[in-house]
Amino acid sequence: MTRAEVREVNGELGAFRVKVLQKPRYIDLKKCTGCGECAKVCPVVRKNEYDMGLSERRAVYRRYAQAVPGAFAIEKRGSSPCKVACPAHISVQGYVALAAQGKYAEALKLIKEQNPLPAICGRVCHHPCESACMRGEVDEPVAIDSIKRFIADLDLHSETRYVPEIKAERDAKVAIMGSGPAGLTCAYYLAIEGYRVTVFEKLPVLGGMLTVGIPSYRLPRQIIEAEIDVIQSMGVQFKTGIEVGKDITIADLREQGYQAFFLGIGAHECKRLGIEGEDLEGVYPGVDFLRDANLGKPIALGARVAVVGGGNVAMDAVRTALRLGSRTVFILYRRSIEEMPASREEIEECREEGIEIQTLINPVRIIGNNGRVEAMECVRMRLGEPDSSGRRRPEAIPGSNLVIKLDCVIPAIGQESDWTCLTTECTCTLSPWGTMRVDPVTLQSDAPDIFAGGDAVTGPRTVIEAIAAGKQAAISIDRYIRGEDLKEGRKEEWLAVETIQPAAYDPVARERMPRLAPELRIKAFDEVQRGFSEEQVRREARRCLSCGVCSECYQCVEVCLAKAIQHDDRPRELEFDVGAIIVSTGFEAFSPEGPDTYGYKNFPNVVTSMEFERLLSASGPTMGRLVRPSDHTEPKRIAWLQCVGSRDIHHSGHGYCSAVCCMYAIKEAIIAREHARGELDAAIFFMDIRTHGKEFEKYYNRAKEVHGVRFLRSRIHSVEEVHGTHDLLIAYVTEAGKLARERFDMVVLSVGIQVSQQAKELAGRLNLALDGYGFAEHSSFAPVSGSRPGIYVSGAFQGPKDIPESVVGASAAAAAVAGILKPASFERPSPKTGLPSLDIDPLGPPRVGVFVCNCGRNIGDVVNVAEVVAYSRSLPHVVYAQENLFSCSQDAQERLAKMVHEQGLNRVVLAACSPRTHEPLFRETIHKAGLNKYLFEMTNIRDQDSWVHQGEPLAATEKAKDLVRMAVAKATLLEPLLEEELAVQPVALVLGGGLAGMQAALSIAESGYRVHLVEKTDGLGGHARHIHTTWKGEEVKPFLGSLIDKVLGHPLITVHFESETIYSSGFVGNFRSTLRKKGIARQAITIDHGVIVLATGAGVYHPDEYLYGAHPHVLLWYELDQRIAHRDSLITGSRCAVFIQCVGSRQTEHPYCSRICCMHSVQSALKIKEINSDAQIYILYRDLRTFGLMERIYQEARAKGVIFIRYTPDNKPLVRAGENGGLEVEILDPILQRPILIRPDFINLATAIEPSANENLSRYLKVPLTENGFFMEAHAKLRPVDFASDGIFVCGLAHYPKPIEESLAQAMGAAARAVRVLAQGVWVTSGISASIDPGGCVGCMGCVEVCPYGAISFIEDRRVCEVNRALCKGCGACAAACPSGSATLSGFTRKQIHAQLSAALN
Amino acid sequence: MQIFHPRVLAFLCNWCAYAGADMAGVSRIQYPPEARVIRTMCSSSVSAENILKAFQMGTDGLLVGG
């Protein structure tokens, strides 16, 4: 379950209830084929987090090429506020994004999904989108309306205009009254649905208020006509000059078969001022005036004209009056300019044209002379308390009356509707304000077949609101006529983006609308606003912040042939009952931003190690070409700075060591040098190199000796840029305390790891205890148990960890869960073997069916699939061929199965994507169809053809044909293969009774399986018996005692003391081992078991240096532990002690680091200090390796005065017996650069851990050892407890030295892996396996030598070699090695490969 | 001048090199279309005989990826 977050956990171990919030993906996982067509068309560009922001991705994306699941996802922050604010909810961000890319046709189509009149709206809309635009928080809103106008005008002037497709012609008739924006919109969307629509218009012209209300200098007539033309071309009938209610009634229309009516009659009647003199000649109501002017009637207003009102009608009236020749025109408005409802642009344009706007003034009386207006008495106003509209109520100032001389008064204070159309048969009702009563969502009136919208319902409002109503009415009418529920699913809830970070954006000036010069425009009705140029549109569109991320432009929906996109996906709340919970939330990298961290973010060539990883990666932003960010040149000198955000309480607050950075820095340095073909100075600046992992020390040594990586033990003072070059100057202090400087081309900050804030919050919700750094608290003895019973923790959420420890922890958590849940709860996979019956003879003459996939457009756009299919038919044995759109779709698979039967196919070839991902699916399909699943051959014409030869369709088609020919050639030779089921003995054998062996045995037994635990001594516990406390201070003895009791007391565990295995044979599920018990009887027992766990431990190195054995006060670590535990006088009375580290480790005899000695010495030093605080303690070390959270005790030891002195292998400490039998240690102090002499009372030698004698086991189990003698796991990182051979597992010190916590975790991990085998009950072998023909075999044993799995044995009596199918992994190495050609790999036989090869080259 | 279009045969191991070739596709890395791939379960199963046979049959180049 991806994109999911645990919100709440209730209950307890065994019975938790978990509430999960799953965020929408917006793409159906089941349908998405991962083809990526959506990302190609997505206009929204985002930084790619996977490449650490060094590359870009789209809003619809897949995190990285190999992501699992491979489906894409859409990133949304919510709907953009512009879209939400728009009454019609046009995908504003979408068309702006498309316009930014020049995709104007797509943009227009998107707009027209909500608004059929964009050229009109682009001129006169009051654009609430712009008021809501988030760009306004940075500087000014995006000029959305002007962008829309450009898009619409482009279409308007194009040769072929966009006319939407009519879905299906329908007979039903709909009548619309009024051809204003509401009526036109309603007609448009009903026409798309296929209705026969007639629009009745009372006036002689179409357009309603658009035509007769808005002056043509704002909205030219030809624009209105052009938009209506499109609607007409869709088949909508327009009838002008017909007044419904007078010329024809709704009753008549019903009789004529009209099934529904939309009343979009607008509000064309002027409200009266209600003052004396209103009926005088020269009083010209605003709307009437505009209508007459727009219809071209001759009008004489006189010289002085006052327009009363502050809305857009007032502005239009006053500007029209000016253009009609009146010399002095002005506005009288009763409130202040701030309250004016007219748009700011109109006010501005009025002023440009010299029109005076008088505010806070109100008429009280119109004064006439001879029945004509002569003057108007007005009163000054002031603003009082806010009224119900939120605006301050204007109040007359008593005694401020004045008289203004006038020729004409134009009242423009509001409009009402004329309801003549509602004749008696209509049952609709009106509100007290004279508007139609309708349902607010459906716009249905009290008469079910009558709908209404626009000004007729709302009173005078805006064009876009009328358009929105028109569309909603169309939806309602369609549903009404179809007899569907009008309301269902119509209440849209918008989740708008609410915040942005204004500081994250640079201000970019808003484009200005070019306007006609004022002196030109007042003389005529030419359009004032001239529209943006294309350059302006592109620039302006790029100002959009894409604040919703996904712009909802729906381009992805159009190109997705799999129909996987679902923009209406919503978050889901889910609940589950679970018995246990595992938390593995991982880590995040420390972010080194801030003033004092080496110039990161300020200097382009300072990058983090995570960024550097991407720069090295072949799939990264530079395709693996190593270049520095500032100038994309190849760096010649790179420095790594270690411990950035680790071991540093000053800058990061992280006292711990991140445990992985030394190793990854070395790796990065080596790879960088490889990329640079050696021409690179790689320098690592460090405090201690901590290569404490298995085989890590060897890697470190190779970096120094073979790759020439420089290691500089130092403290960094500063990183500065060299002026003008972006090179970097590192100032640092050497170990000897000298200041040095070096110049580099690039600096990599080796950033540490930390727990993310989200993980901490999750822990809070789960009630899990965290340490001071946010890592999950856990005991060393229950290494994956969180603080709350039933909740387990693993990975870096527990503390800094490398991959193998994380993988081990994950398996351990699985084991812990398996132990508490009933074994019955394991789901056993149902066996899938045996041949189904079919009337087709697989061994008969080949009848090949070829299926060629288009993969949507992925293959078909490049490869000519039809040609490949036709070609396939010409190939020998091919009896059938066809193409598929998506072969993996359900219907295509059903068809494939059907064709097997219909055509009698006994071989199937599929040319499609990669067999690596899809072969199992198709094998399953033909298996279900009744054909043996190995009679299937797949060839890859997508990943290895159409995707990699996109520009060469002809060559790609030829290649596809060749690949199909090769596949057919092989297919004709395919044979049915059998999978074998082998029973698994439900018994485990565990070798070694130390901590790891006991824990493994117990974990397996707790999962319900019998265990034989073999211990060579007479007691359990191993080395743990000599250890007193863990580094955290936990007492080992009580835990060990209880573990021994549990093991001895468990009914499923049999402990064999004083025993050893002398031989083991067999394979996964069926091993047989012989045990020999020490003692007189020398008895041997045979055990049959399904799995084996190797926990044979390790030994202690006994040195012959530093006077060990020669002086009684030179001790080994466990001897010291004993003395500390017994409060020996040597400890309690000592003045001075010396610890020598790396005795035997990291040198010739044991070239590896023993991992735990630094921890143990520091821990012991602290213990001694605790007992005897006066003791002077010196720890002589090479690199102090208290990795991970153990760094805490190193800090503590230094704080308590333990002195750490570093030595190098060429300058080892000298230990000698002094006078009076005392000890003397001489060492060169690297800081003082001179030898110092210490006279300790005793010396502790931190000696190496040596592997046990594992050679015998290695030989008869056929599992390898490292060159140091530890067992070698199947994969150092990903399979840390497995071997290449199945059924054998390793844990504890037999794998590598490690502390108790890690040993226990690894034991649990090995147990989980073992139980996984036992729980299956049967082991199914693959059909693809090797076999040797005994007739041809000469017994040369060449195959035995090359088999990496020990699957082939030489049968002495018959002198031939034989393959054990259970062990065979089907690599075919034997087949290549066999000189007589007797060894064969089924499914890849010599003949089959030759057939492929010949087909390729013919 | 006639352009030389070599015939190249590639034996690719299912687990690594073949996966790498898939990955190149997923990353849309463009390369010349002349190679023809034979998938094997391990590069160790490519015998000397396979290689010699390919050259005998006229391949201009041969890649074993594993």
Side-chain angles (χ1 to χ4, degrees):
Chain A
M1 190 185 301
T2 52
R3 297 168 91 92
E5 190 179 85
V6 171
R7 300 301 309 166
E8 204 181 313
V9 172
N10 293 308
E12 54 181 20
L13 186 153
F16 287 112
R17 185 140 188 93
V18 182
K19 283 189 186 161
V20 173
L21 179 75
Q22 188 175 29
K23 290 174 212 148
R25 185 184 195 96
Y26 303 105
I27 288 185
D28 189 338
L29 261 182
K30 289 193 200 83
K31 291 184 183 163
C32 176
T33 62
C35 74
E37 289 295 318
C38 48
K40 277 194 208 157
V41 296
C42 178
V44 180
V45 177
R46 302 282 292 166
K47 284 216 157 140
N48 185 348
E49 310 84 345
Y50 181 69
D51 276 338
M52 303 291 138
L54 298 170
S55 67
E56 288 175 339
R57 62 164 173 85
R58 299 297 160 135
V60 55
Y61 70 109
R62 173 165 57 192
R63 260 184 116 70
Y64 53 97
Q66 318 92 312
V68 176
F72 279 64
I74 300 177
E75 183 188 0
K76 293 192 192 217
R77 281 189 71 222
S79 290
S80 55
C82 44
K83 179 176 187 173
V84 177
C86 175
H89 305 301
I90 307 172
S91 272
V92 177
Q93 194 196 319
Y95 74 73
V96 171
L98 291 168
Q101 294 201 328
K103 295 182 174 172
Y104 305 117
E106 289 86 349
L108 180 85
K109 212 173 146 199
L110 180 64
I111 295 169
K112 285 210 161 187
E113 280 176 27
Q114 311 298 336
N115 178 354
L117 311 171
I120 293 169
C121 258
R123 288 169 167 79
V124 299
C125 188
H126 71 303
H127 45 68
C129 49
E130 293 186 22
S131 314
C133 176
M134 284 290 180
R135 179 96 221 178
E137 295 193 15
V138 179
D139 39 42
E140 282 183 278
V142 175
I144 297 168
D145 209 28
S146 308
I147 294 172
K148 177 164 65 227
R149 170 179 163 163
F150 177 86
I151 295 165
D153 283 2
L154 205 65
D155 174 68
L156 214 99
H157 297 123
S158 72
E159 286 191 7
T160 48
R161 308 237 359 234
Y162 168 67
V163 178
E165 205 180 316
I166 309 292
K167 288 183 186 165
E169 296 286 343
R170 297 167 66 95
D171 289 335
K173 294 203 292 185
V174 180
I176 291 173
M177 285 49 157
S179 65
L184 290 174
T185 304
C186 189
Y188 178 90
Y189 291 108
L190 285 171
I192 290 178
E193 292 301 323
Y195 291 100
R196 291 163 60 196
V197 182
T198 311
V199 179
F200 297 91
E201 172 57 55
K202 179 165 89 173
L203 293 171
V205 292
L206 294 174
M209 271 296 185
L210 298 171
T211 306
V212 299
I214 301 174
S216 59
Y217 59 85
R218 279 218 291 144
L219 179 57
R221 294 298 159 255
Q222 69 272 23
I223 299 291
I224 306 171
E225 285 158 15
E227 303 231 272
I228 295 176
D229 281 348
V230 171
I231 301 172
Q232 238 157 357
S233 72
M234 292 162 69
V236 173
Q237 300 287 317
F238 288 93
K239 296 193 173 170
T240 50
I242 294 184
E243 190 173 358
V244 177
K246 281 186 185 162
D247 305 324
I248 193 164
T249 64
I250 286 178
D252 298 335
L253 292 170
R254 279 180 181 151
E255 245 172 63
Q256 288 175 23
Y258 285 92
Q259 294 185 25
F261 303 88
F262 176 70
L263 308 185
I265 59 166
H268 290 250
E269 300 302 308
C270 248
K271 279 192 178 157
R272 291 169 63 84
L273 289 168
I275 55 173
E276 184 189 327
E278 210 170 347
D279 296 320
L280 289 166
E281 198 181 322
V283 178
Y284 211 153
V287 176
D288 297 352
F289 163 64
L290 284 172
R291 180 168 56 238
D292 290 348
N294 281 320
L295 291 175
K297 289 192 185 165
I299 298 168
L301 296 174
R304 288 178 59 82
V305 178
V307 176
V308 181
N312 283 335
V313 172
M315 299 297 134
D316 289 342
V318 77
R319 294 175 74 188
T320 300
L322 181 71
R323 282 163 175 76
L324 289 176
S326 299
R327 278 201 307 281
T328 309
V329 297
F330 50 93
I331 293 271
L332 299 176
Y333 179 55
R334 60 187 183 144
R335 303 183 200 233
S336 71
I337 200 103
E338 284 73 36
E339 278 89 20
M340 269 182 114
S343 77
R344 298 296 107 180
E345 277 176 331
E346 278 234 66
I347 295 169
E348 197 182 313
E349 286 173 10
C350 272
R351 287 188 167 147
E352 282 176 2
E353 290 166 15
I355 295 164
E356 191 191 348
I357 298 173
Q358 293 195 29
T359 57
L360 293 168
I361 187 164
N362 205 28
V364 280
R365 181 168 68 102
I366 301 169
I367 305 160
N369 185 10
N370 288 332
R372 260 206 75 86
V373 172
E374 189 180 67
M376 184 158 68
E377 184 182 336
C378 297
V379 65
R380 296 274 178 211
M381 310 291 281
R382 65 181 167 213
L383 294 176
E385 292 302 305
D387 63 11
S388 59
S389 73
R391 298 181 300 177
R392 292 171 68 188
R393 185 189 297 277
E395 300 163 352
I397 303 170
S400 67
N401 293 34
L402 68 157
V403 171
I404 301 169
K405 289 215 43 113
L406 287 171
D407 298 313
C408 177
V409 176
I410 301 178
I413 58 161
Q415 300 102 259
E416 298 165 325
S417 301
D418 168 11
W419 289 108
T420 313
C421 61
L422 291 184
T423 35
T424 49
E425 72 279 8
C426 304
T427 54
C428 344
T429 54
L430 299 182
S431 75
W433 302 276
T435 57
M436 172 77 81
R437 273 192 226 268
V438 293
D439 178 281
V441 174
T442 66
L443 304 180
Q444 190 177 34
S445 74
D446 294 342
D449 60 346
I450 298 179
F451 298 79
D455 288 358
V457 167
T458 58
R461 295 290 273 272
T462 60
V463 175
I464 189 67
E465 286 166 288
I467 289 171
K471 167 142 197 209
Q472 291 309 314
I475 295 170
S476 295
I477 290 170
D478 177 47
R479 289 193 186 193
Y480 170 75
I481 293 173
R482 289 174 193 266
E484 291 171 2
D485 189 298
L486 263 56
K487 285 202 169 169
E488 201 202 319
R490 292 197 53 187
K491 206 167 172 208
E492 285 185 274
E493 280 171 30
W494 297 95
L495 297 167
V497 175
E498 281 168 3
T499 52
I500 55 149
Q501 289 179 306
Y505 304 95
D506 295 327
V508 183
R510 176 177 159 124
E511 293 294 322
R512 296 289 151 205
M513 173 59 77
R515 293 180 187 156
L516 197 63
E519 61 276 15
L520 290 174
R521 57 170 119 128
I522 57 171
K523 292 176 184 144
F525 284 84
D526 291 339
E527 187 168 20
V528 173
Q529 301 195 344
R530 310 308 291 175
F532 276 178
S533 67
E534 183 176 356
E535 292 70 37
Q536 279 187 295
V537 167
R538 294 279 193 112
R539 278 200 299 272
E540 189 58 23
R542 282 197 292 268
R543 289 182 69 237
C544 173
L545 305 181
S546 299
C547 62
V549 186
C550 166
S551 70
E552 300 183 339
C553 71
Y554 308 121
Q555 296 298 297
C556 48
V557 179
E558 304 235 332
V559 296
C560 182
L561 296 182
K563 304 211 178 307
I565 312 237
Q566 38 192 32
H567 278 280
D568 57 353
D569 202 0
R570 287 288 172 264
R572 277 180 282 273
E573 281 183 15
L574 306 161
E575 291 198 23
F576 302 99
D577 290 316
V578 299
I581 295 167
I582 299 174
V583 186
S584 323
T585 46
F587 70 90
E588 66 177 13
F590 170 71
S591 174
E593 286 174 63
D596 204 14
T597 35
Y598 314 123
Y600 179 66
K601 293 268 177 187
N602 292 328
F603 306 151
N605 294 328
V606 177
V607 300
T608 68
S609 46
M610 297 289 276
E611 290 165 347
F612 195 74
E613 284 282 330
R614 298 312 301 149
L615 289 174
L616 288 177
S617 170
S619 64
T622 55
M623 309 269 274
R625 195 173 149 245
L626 177 56
V627 291
R628 64 179 201 164
S630 70
D631 51 12
H632 287 263
T633 58
E634 291 180 6
K636 297 282 171 234
R637 295 154 297 183
I638 305 180
W640 278 259
L641 309 189
Q642 297 306 105
C643 297
V644 177
S646 308
R647 302 181 69 187
D648 173 12
I649 49 175
H650 303 296
H651 297 108
S652 63
H654 294 166
Y656 55 85
C657 156
S658 290
V660 296
C661 325
C662 285
M663 200 54 194
Y664 76 56
I666 297 172
K667 179 201 73 176
E668 288 183 350
I670 290 177
I671 296 177
R673 278 183 55 85
E674 282 168 357
H675 280 231
R677 288 169 296 280
E679 290 171 27
L680 176 79
D681 172 28
I684 298 179
F685 291 80
F686 70 100
M687 294 195 281
D688 293 286
I689 283 293
R690 294 187 167 171
T691 45
H692 47 270
K694 189 175 182 179
E695 304 287 296
F696 285 11
E697 187 73 11
K698 188 164 131 192
Y699 197 76
Y700 170 38
N701 288 333
R702 279 181 64 81
K704 279 190 291 193
E705 291 152 18
V706 180
H707 297 282
V709 176
R710 289 194 293 139
F711 288 84
L712 292 94
R713 197 177 296 268
S714 57
R715 300 303 289 249
I716 302 298
H717 172 272
S718 59
V719 177
E720 294 192 342
E721 239 181 21
V722 180
H723 182 72
T725 63
H726 291 306
D727 288 355
L728 300 148
L729 194 65
I730 297 182
Y732 64 96
V733 181
T734 66
E735 195 179 17
K738 297 216 163 48
L739 185 66
R741 285 193 170 82
E742 272 199 63
R743 185 169 169 164
F744 290 91
D745 297 333
M746 220 176 152
V747 169
V748 181
L749 305 180
S750 294
V751 290
I753 67 188
Q754 65 188 21
V755 177
S756 70
Q757 189 54 36
Q758 291 122 294
K760 289 179 192 170
E761 286 165 12
L762 175 68
R765 292 197 291 275
L766 298 182
N767 209 1
L768 273 185
L770 304 180
D771 72 6
Y773 298 118
F775 295 110
E777 294 264 22
H778 59 281
S779 146
S780 297
F781 305 133
V784 292
S785 298
S787 63
R788 180 170 170 190
I791 301 189
Y792 298 90
V793 290
S794 70
F797 178 49
Q798 288 192 284
K801 273 190 171 62
D802 204 336
I803 296 170
E805 288 86 53
S806 287
V807 173
V808 159
S811 287
V817 170
I820 57 160
L821 301 180
K822 298 256 179 303
S825 63
F826 282 101
E827 266 185 44
R828 283 157 210 260
S830 58
K832 288 184 269 185
T833 50
L835 264 174
S837 61
L838 182 70
D839 295 337
I840 298 165
D841 179 7
L843 301 173
R847 291 180 60 79
V848 183
V850 178
F851 296 81
V852 186
C853 191
N854 278 285
C855 192
R857 296 163 59 165
N858 282 284
I859 295 170
D861 270 4
V862 179
V863 170
N864 184 336
V865 171
E867 201 181 310
V868 177
V869 170
Y871 173 75
S872 307
R873 293 198 182 105
S874 74
L875 293 170
H877 303 296
V878 174
V879 295
Y880 180 77
Q882 72 159 76
E883 63 182 277
N884 292 330
L885 180 59
F886 285 111
S887 301
C888 53
S889 67
Q890 191 63 37
D891 58 321
Q893 292 198 64
E894 280 162 17
R895 191 171 160 78
L896 196 157
K898 198 171 141 215
M899 284 303 128
V900 167
H901 284 270
E902 275 184 18
Q903 302 289 331
L905 305 178
N906 59 10
R907 306 283 190 283
V908 173
V909 168
L910 174 66
C913 53
S914 178
R916 285 179 47 81
T917 52
H918 281 71
E919 193 176 60
L921 175 74
F922 295 107
R923 278 190 172 164
E924 196 57 34
T925 305
I926 71 158
H927 171 76
K928 280 185 195 152
L931 207 55
N932 179 284
K933 69 183 191 185
Y934 291 96
L935 295 172
F936 173 75
E937 183 65 19
M938 194 166 174
T939 191
N940 191 339
I941 60 165
R942 188 186 71 175
D943 310 47
Q944 298 182 12
D945 190 11
S946 67
W947 275 354
V948 288
H949 312 309
Q950 288 172 329
E952 296 169 276
L954 294 180
T957 303
E958 284 314 304
K959 181 170 176 178
K961 288 182 192 169
D962 286 359
L963 290 172
V964 169
R965 185 174 67 241
M966 290 160 69
V968 169
K970 183 179 175 189
T972 56
L973 299 170
L974 286 175
E975 291 165 345
L977 302 176
L978 273 181
E979 293 175 349
E980 271 181 67
E981 263 183 19
L982 304 165
V984 170
Q985 282 284 344
V987 178
L989 179 70
V990 177
L991 304 186
L995 269 189
M998 286 195 292
Q999 181 64 56
L1002 190 62
S1003 291
I1004 295 171
E1006 281 175 350
S1007 295
Y1009 298 94
R1010 170 158 288 285
V1011 183
H1012 291 276
L1013 176 59
V1014 182
E1015 167 55 40
K1016 65 181 174 191
T1017 70
D1018 59 355
L1020 294 172
H1023 295 300
R1025 285 176 292 191
H1026 309 299
I1027 299 170
H1028 295 276
T1029 58
T1030 66
W1031 73 270
K1032 292 181 188 169
E1034 301 142 312
E1035 292 285 336
V1036 174
K1037 282 219 152 36
F1039 165 72
L1040 183 64
S1042 102
L1043 183 61
I1044 292 173
D1045 289 348
K1046 278 188 204 161
V1047 167
L1048 292 175
H1050 202 290
L1052 289 175
I1053 302 178
T1054 309
V1055 183
H1056 302 269
F1057 286 106
E1058 297 188 296
S1059 300
E1060 278 182 280
T1061 49
I1062 50 171
Y1063 189 67
S1064 285
S1065 63
F1067 48 86
V1068 56
N1070 292 281
F1071 289 104
R1072 172 165 288 186
S1073 298
T1074 310
L1075 303 191
R1076 190 175 61 196
K1077 198 170 165 75
K1078 279 182 206 157
I1080 313 152
R1082 294 189 71 83
Q1083 63 189 110
I1085 330 170
T1086 303
I1087 296 171
D1088 289 326
H1089 53 103
V1091 293
I1092 181 162
V1093 178
L1094 307 179
T1096 50
V1100 179
Y1101 168 65
H1102 289 84
D1104 50 12
E1105 56 182 340
Y1106 300 131
L1107 298 184
Y1108 180 69
H1111 194 287
H1113 291 169
V1114 177
L1115 312 171
L1116 295 192
W1117 59 270
Y1118 63 91
E1119 296 163 346
L1120 175 69
D1121 267 19
Q1122 288 289 337
R1123 290 186 189 246
I1124 292 174
H1126 296 126
R1127 299 291 188 269
D1128 187 289
S1129 60
L1130 186 66
I1131 309 298
T1132 52
S1134 74
R1135 299 160 298 105
C1136 179
V1138 165
F1139 288 72
I1140 301 177
Q1141 299 303 106
C1142 294
V1143 179
S1145 299
R1146 300 181 67 193
Q1147 43 192 309
T1148 329
E1149 58 269 50
H1150 308 103
Y1152 54 88
C1153 164
S1154 292
R1155 193 172 174 97
I1156 55 176
C1157 335
C1158 283
M1159 166 199 87
H1160 193 266
S1161 292
V1162 172
Q1163 181 192 342
S1164 302
L1166 279 170
K1167 199 84 191 168
I1168 296 168
K1169 277 279 186 190
E1170 195 183 303
I1171 300 167
N1172 175 4
S1173 60
D1174 295 336
Q1176 270 286 357
I1177 301 174
Y1178 297 88
I1179 296 185
L1180 315 184
Y1181 72 104
R1182 287 173 56 192
D1183 288 279
L1184 217 288
R1185 293 183 171 174
T1186 43
F1187 57 92
L1189 300 176
M1190 286 188 267
E1191 183 74 4
R1192 194 192 76 208
I1193 58 171
Y1194 180 28
Q1195 280 177 323
E1196 199 182 325
R1198 280 179 303 170
K1200 292 208 169 137
V1202 176
I1203 294 167
F1204 290 82
I1205 301 174
R1206 214 179 67 78
Y1207 75 89
T1208 59
D1210 347 322
N1211 249 321
K1212 281 175 148 186
L1214 293 173
V1215 176
R1216 55 181 179 252
E1219 293 162 27
N1220 314 321
L1223 287 162
E1224 281 184 7
V1225 181
E1226 193 183 310
I1227 185 168
L1228 181 81
D1229 185 298
I1231 299 167
L1232 305 173
Q1233 285 291 313
R1234 46 197 292 190
I1236 57 169
L1237 189 69
I1238 309 166
R1239 292 199 177 84
D1241 298 320
F1242 66 90
I1243 295 173
N1244 175 71
L1245 301 181
T1247 52
I1249 292 173
E1250 291 184 316
S1252 303
N1254 294 321
E1255 289 75 12
N1256 267 338
L1257 271 175
S1258 161
R1259 203 172 48 247
Y1260 60 68
L1261 286 173
K1262 301 188 182 88
V1263 289
L1265 299 175
T1266 66
E1267 61 182 5
N1268 300 322
F1270 294 102
F1271 282 110
M1272 187 156 82
E1273 61 277 32
H1275 190 287
K1277 300 284 177 195
L1278 303 177
R1279 293 178 65 194
V1281 300
D1282 300 1
F1283 287 100
S1285 306
D1286 292 312
I1288 311 175
F1289 307 95
V1290 64
C1291 60
L1293 304 194
H1295 164 266
Y1296 192 65
K1298 52 178 68 72
I1300 288 178
E1301 174 179 340
E1302 289 182 17
S1303 269
L1304 290 172
Q1306 203 179 16
M1308 293 167 76
R1313 301 288 294 164
V1315 166
R1316 191 175 155 268
V1317 174
L1318 299 176
Q1320 303 212 354
V1322 290
W1323 188 262
V1324 183
T1325 66
S1326 166
I1328 308 286
S1329 70
S1331 59
I1332 295 170
D1333 172 15
C1337 178
V1338 295
C1340 74
M1341 293 200 276
C1343 52
V1344 178
E1345 248 169 66
V1346 298
C1347 178
Y1349 308 101
I1352 307 179
S1353 40
F1354 179 62
I1355 313 294
E1356 293 280 352
D1357 52 349
R1358 287 185 283 138
R1359 312 290 301 164
V1360 291
C1361 298
E1362 203 173 86
V1363 179
N1364 181 335
R1365 275 194 73 179
L1367 290 173
C1368 176
K1369 300 260 185 185
C1371 71
C1374 51
C1378 181
S1380 66
S1382 316
T1384 310
L1385 178 64
S1386 58
F1388 293 85
T1389 65
R1390 195 165 147 259
K1391 265 176 131 182
Q1392 290 164 353
I1393 297 210
H1394 281 182
Q1396 258 179 306
L1397 200 149
S1398 307
L1401 298 171
N1402 268 339
Chain B
M1 204 178 84
Q2 208 176 350
I3 302 164
F4 173 56
H5 288 292
R7 293 199 290 179
V8 179
L9 209 60
F11 287 97
L12 301 185
C13 164
N14 178 63
W15 310 103
C16 52
Y18 193 92
D22 283 353
M23 175 78 181
V26 175
S27 308
R28 307 296 196 277
I29 296 170
Q30 304 296 301
Y31 58 84
E34 277 84 10
R36 301 291 177 264
V37 171
I38 294 177
R39 183 168 68 110
T40 65
M41 294 314 273
C42 177
S43 49
S44 73
S45 70
V46 181
S47 63
E49 188 200 348
N50 294 146
I51 295 168
L52 293 174
K53 178 132 185 148
F55 281 112
Q56 194 181 33
M57 296 200 64
T59 193
D60 296 306
L62 190 134
L63 169 76
V64 180

